[in-house]
Amino acid sequence: GIGASLFLPLKYAIPKLTPFWLDQPLAHAERAIFAGDPWLLLDRFFGWAAVPMDRLYGLWLPTQALVLFLVISQPGSAAKSRALVAYVLAWFLLGVAAAALLSSAGPIFYDRLFGGTEFVALRESLQHRGAWVVLAESDRMWASLASGRPGIIAGISAAPSIHVAISVWMILVAKSM
């Protein structure tokens, strides 16, 4: 409970403590490795999945909360203890500590932060495909950052992905419990 209540303020504080520094080197490295933006390659092959993934993104928080509740409600066991420790460590070590060290906003915020139009096509592609959940959430995150007033949706952090980490946690919990 304490960790959960501290997560949002800590995440919101990241750009003030460690300004976003990883985005530009990462974008340059990705373009060198993939001969372009990786999202363009993914969009070419998996663009059809943008809307299903967008809706899954909208269900991520309630799903992980449900899985956590199910784990908590299980009888005491080594597997339950491991699952809960891993959950807390993932949120703190990846969601706060690593996010502060690898301070990055991600491509959806890149142009707003650094100027230019390097990723304008990403937003346009998401709009064209109808991925409104991620666009609405990112707009709320940006409004919170720009206004200096955190709300329920606040804090921008792209690396490492807590969404990926907790999704893997849910799969591992399902396998072990």
Side-chain angles (χ1 to χ4, degrees):
I2 293 168
S5 64
L6 288 175
F7 176 75
L8 192 58
L10 290 171
K11 184 177 177 187
Y12 186 78
I14 288 172
K16 292 177 184 151
L17 300 172
T18 311
F20 298 122
W21 67 271
L22 185 61
D23 296 286
Q24 291 176 319
L26 190 57
H28 294 297
E30 287 176 339
R31 287 180 184 132
I33 293 167
F34 296 103
D37 290 319
W39 80 265
L40 288 168
L41 295 171
L42 289 170
D43 187 62
R44 189 172 302 127
F45 294 108
F46 302 108
W48 57 268
V51 169
M53 291 301 292
D54 182 66
R55 300 319 182 264
L56 283 172
Y57 176 76
L59 294 172
W60 182 84
L61 187 61
T63 300
Q64 69 95 25
L66 176 64
V67 172
L68 178 61
F69 175 75
L70 289 172
V71 170
I72 290 170
S73 66
Q74 296 299 307
S77 70
K80 176 182 176 177
S81 295
R82 280 191 305 273
L84 292 174
V85 168
Y87 182 83
V88 170
L89 288 175
W91 276 98
F92 180 73
L93 293 177
L94 296 176
V96 177
L101 291 172
L102 302 171
S103 185
S104 97
I108 200 145
F109 298 110
Y110 190 98
D111 295 340
R112 293 180 191 184
L113 284 168
F114 303 109
T117 58
E118 291 190 54
F119 288 96
V120 71
L122 171 61
R123 186 170 185 87
E124 289 172 353
S125 178
L126 291 169
Q127 287 172 327
H128 173 74
R129 293 191 181 281
W132 59 268
V133 174
V134 71
L135 293 171
E137 294 295 305
S138 66
D139 286 345
R140 286 187 196 104
M141 288 177 192
W142 182 258
S144 172
L145 179 71
S147 70
R149 291 189 312 268
I152 292 175
I153 297 172
I156 295 173
S157 175
S161 173
I162 195 68
H163 290 92
V164 171
I166 296 300
S167 297
V168 170
W169 175 83
M170 288 188 277
I171 292 166
L172 294 174
V173 163
K175 283 183 158 189
S176 70
M177 295 186 77

